[in-house]
Amino acid sequence: MRISECVVFLIVRDGCVLVERRKLSKLLLPGVIAIPGGGIEADETPLAATRREVFEELNLVVADAQPICTLLDRTGLEEIGEARRLHYFWISEWSGEFQVHEADEILWVRLDELAQLILHVDRLAITEYLRLYHH
């Protein structure tokens, strides 16, 4: 099985987590509401990929990011024998104004209303974030 290395980033504000509605033109999970992220490039660390992806997707500069967990996911890839290794990070500090570059839209979902998230791994990662960092 081929495994793609990816990062996923949680931005939390006022009891809500930022999610995206993926573009319908995406090959993987079109139109799905999910936590944003992207692929890790060759010779790039997960943290460096997170900083790059946050900037590319939302025009934000990451000042601090904390690891949450790493999960293996096959959603949408089962038939072709692939999986994604998802490195989740909490973006605890950032600067800049939100601009949407890679998704149809961004939404804020309350941390106690996670049923809107289709991907089980996203719900698991948020549960782990709450366990580790929520005060």
Side-chain angles (χ1 to χ4, degrees):
M1 172 178 16
R2 188 175 101 81
I3 297 177
S4 298
E5 298 288 334
C6 302
V7 294
V8 185
F9 48 89
L10 271 70
I11 297 177
V12 179
R13 179 174 75 185
D14 301 327
C16 297
V17 63
L18 181 137
V19 297
E20 67 178 7
R21 182 179 314 277
R22 293 175 57 83
K23 289 185 177 185
L24 292 175
S25 60
K26 294 280 188 180
L27 292 176
L28 182 62
L29 307 170
V32 166
I33 294 176
I35 301 170
I40 298 175
E41 296 177 357
D43 299 325
E44 191 175 42
T45 67
L47 180 57
T50 299
R51 292 178 185 280
R52 178 183 51 75
E53 286 288 342
V54 170
F55 185 75
E56 288 177 2
E57 295 201 14
L58 298 172
N59 198 50
L60 301 177
V61 175
V62 173
D64 191 39
Q66 301 297 320
I68 299 170
C69 61
T70 299
L71 300 169
L72 195 62
D73 182 45
R74 296 186 69 196
T75 305
L77 299 169
E78 301 93 333
E79 292 181 9
I80 58 174
E82 290 189 23
R84 297 178 302 152
R85 183 174 293 119
L86 304 171
H87 303 273
Y88 284 84
F89 285 86
W90 168 42
I91 308 306
S92 54
E93 295 180 42
W94 69 89
S95 61
E97 296 295 321
F98 287 94
Q99 294 178 11
V100 182
H101 295 278
E102 299 284 328
D104 274 346
E105 65 179 325
I106 58 170
L107 310 160
W108 293 93
V109 173
R110 290 183 46 82
L111 289 168
D112 57 3
E113 296 178 357
L114 299 179
Q116 294 181 49
L117 299 177
I118 301 299
L119 299 178
H120 180 66
V121 288
D122 283 354
R123 293 191 306 272
L124 280 174
I126 292 172
T127 300
E128 187 65 0
Y129 157 77
L130 292 170
R131 186 184 75 79
L132 292 171
Y133 298 111
H134 202 265
H135 307 290

